[in-house]
Amino acid sequence: MTPRTLLMIPGPVEVDPEVLAAMARPPLSHMSSAFAVLMQESLDGLREVFDAPDGQPFLIPGSGTLAMEMALANLVEPGDRVVVVDTGYFAARMAELAEWLDAHVIRVTAEPGALPDESQIEAALQQGAKVLTLTHVDTSTGVVAPVERWAPLAHRYGALVVVDGVCAVGGQRFHQTAWEVDVALTGSQKALAVPPGLAIVVARPSALEAYRRRRTRTRSYYADWGKWLPVMEAFQAGRPAYFATPAVNLVAAMAVSLRCIRAEGMEARWARHERIARAFRAGMQSMELEMVPRDPAWAAVTLSVIYYPNGIDDRLIREIEAAGVTVAGAIHPALRGRSFRVGHMGEIGLPALLQTLSAIEIALRRLGHPVTPGAGVAAAQAEWTR
Ligand SMILES: *Cc1c(COP(=O)(O)O)cnc(C)c1O
């Protein structure tokens, strides 16, 4: 067997054996009533996880990027104005996608680790926009956007709001309907703790209405809401329907994971992620490691992006791996070779947290950086029991 490390990257994440076991069963017919039950359960569960009682979930084979494409391709027509709040690598992908659809893109940017001023966003919206995109947690910087403030702001200027929640939904507190988010999206492999392969989009009636009013055809055959809506509506009513073959084994896994998530309860799940993040940050602080988010209030609870101390480089990632834990390097061009990323979302708890901190301490010491053995672990324990 290949040696296994603890997987602490910002997706894919550790998956519970019960979720894996659900995947290992022989595929069901996608037209069977047994599969329809799994889809129905998953769609109900997703509405709860997104806190979108009026939302229409779409659960289709694909990665998070396909979910981004489904959201924009169904709303945006050539020449539409799209305001992209650019807080990092994945926000920039949203801008690229909108340009791909021949939208007129207005970027509101911030330095890595920072958030743009609300006045900049307002100025962009004043020029008139069909859509505003926000990246709830930008996985390249670890910065959280205040969706609860900026979504209602966009509505005051008549723009629809699309939130990329790929590194957030299921870990970072989120209320799609109450926060006035027209479309929110994620992938299976992040805070929902399922293997990669499912794209998830939840569209509220306002977004479906905007789709129906399009003058031009959606520029994606596969991701067109018109193709998938009757399928999702049928499954919701407990009946199978077909447009393209669903990832039946992954849906079985998703149904089990959503059962675990609903058993925990969203409030408890968000609070657990907040507690883990606080304890992890306490550990970083005790080792005098600096976080990329410039204000602790902007730091995500699903992952941390951390600057290397002086004299340390990407060798740290290999040393952490040698100590039994897999973490990720930077993907933001401005942070490459200067920082690393640790995912702490999904089903993990105190043991994974302490193991990760211990591996970081060992790795730093092996590279000659002065760290007292156990300093990070002790600080995290103190915060945990505070
Ligand atoms: C991971 C991620 C994506 C891309 O998802 P893929 O599954 O890799 O296509 C998009 N946005 C954010 C915020 C992400 O973290």
Side-chain angles (χ1 to χ4, degrees):
M1 254 170 57
T2 39
R4 222 175 70 79
T5 55
L6 180 69
L7 188 58
M8 296 293 283
I9 63 175
V13 303
E14 287 285 324
V15 176
D16 190 272
E18 255 181 73
V19 173
L20 288 176
M23 278 190 78
R25 299 180 51 195
L28 290 170
S29 160
H30 58 289
M31 296 305 282
S32 64
S33 50
F35 178 68
V37 167
L38 293 177
M39 269 300 278
Q40 187 180 36
E41 192 182 340
S42 297
L43 296 172
D44 285 347
L46 289 171
R47 226 178 276 112
E48 190 171 319
V49 168
F50 282 70
D51 197 9
D54 61 352
Q56 173 60 58
F58 294 86
L59 178 60
I60 67 169
S63 82
T65 305
L66 178 69
M68 294 166 73
E69 180 157 354
M70 183 184 246
L72 281 197
N74 282 285
L75 293 179
V76 173
E77 295 186 70
D80 282 347
R81 298 164 81 87
V82 176
V83 175
V84 174
V85 178
D86 185 351
T87 45
Y89 178 92
F90 286 107
R93 175 170 293 185
M94 206 55 118
E96 195 182 344
L97 185 48
E99 269 162 5
W100 199 273
L101 298 166
D102 289 324
H104 176 77
V105 176
I106 303 152
R107 285 179 181 73
V108 181
T109 54
E111 294 284 301
L115 280 174
D117 281 339
E118 199 159 299
S119 61
Q120 290 170 265
I121 298 172
E122 202 158 3
L125 289 167
Q126 267 160 3
Q127 301 171 48
K130 170 115 175 250
V131 173
L132 171 90
T133 74
L134 298 171
T135 308
H136 196 183
V137 170
D138 202 296
T139 324
S140 68
T141 58
V143 167
V144 189
V147 174
E148 67 281 18
R149 278 215 318 273
W150 291 349
L153 177 71
H155 280 166
R156 285 205 284 282
Y157 291 93
L160 291 162
V161 178
V162 172
V163 171
D164 174 354
V166 180
C167 200
V169 172
Q172 196 82 38
R173 203 170 280 275
F174 182 61
H175 304 284
Q176 182 174 352
T177 298
W179 290 0
E180 302 182 23
V181 173
D182 301 289
V183 183
L185 58 100
T186 190
S188 51
Q189 79 276 26
K190 305 222 179 168
L192 299 179
V194 173
L198 290 175
I200 299 151
V201 176
V202 178
R204 294 185 47 234
S206 47
L208 295 174
E209 183 52 36
Y211 166 78
R212 288 189 193 101
R213 283 199 310 265
R214 291 178 69 97
R215 298 174 310 275
T216 61
R217 202 154 73 179
T218 309
R219 285 190 168 185
S220 169
Y221 179 77
Y222 180 75
D224 180 49
W225 279 342
K227 297 279 191 296
W228 287 105
L229 189 57
V231 175
M232 295 301 146
E233 284 173 342
F235 278 124
Q236 251 156 234
R239 284 181 283 108
Y242 171 76
F243 163 57
T245 307
V248 287
N249 293 57
L250 280 168
V251 172
M254 177 63 76
V256 173
S257 187
L258 287 168
R259 241 171 265 162
C260 301
I261 292 172
R262 292 167 97 177
E264 182 177 21
M266 289 313 295
E267 192 55 50
R269 191 174 179 87
W270 293 323
R272 173 169 58 81
H273 278 82
E274 285 160 7
R275 191 177 181 195
I276 287 173
R278 273 199 307 273
F280 186 79
R281 273 181 236 137
M284 293 297 101
Q285 203 174 6
S286 74
M287 290 187 253
E288 292 175 16
L289 299 182
E290 192 194 338
M291 309 281 292
V292 167
R294 291 184 190 171
D295 185 322
W298 301 343
V301 303
T302 48
L303 92 156
S304 293
V305 187
I306 308 129
Y307 284 113
Y308 293 136
N310 277 338
I312 300 292
D313 56 24
D314 283 339
R315 284 174 304 161
L316 185 71
I317 295 170
R318 291 193 289 278
E319 288 294 342
I320 297 172
E321 177 101 16
V325 178
T326 301
V327 298
I331 45 166
H332 195 296
L335 298 172
R336 269 182 212 143
R338 297 174 54 208
S339 62
F340 67 112
R341 300 180 302 146
V342 178
H344 32 73
M345 64 188 126
E347 297 308 315
I348 61 150
L350 188 60
L353 173 75
L354 297 181
Q355 193 183 335
T356 304
L357 286 164
S358 160
I360 294 171
E361 290 171 10
I362 290 167
L364 283 168
R365 287 173 57 79
R366 282 186 55 86
L367 294 175
H369 188 73
V371 170
T372 311
V377 170
Q381 286 187 9
E383 173 59 40
W384 189 266
T385 51
R386 197 164 58 88

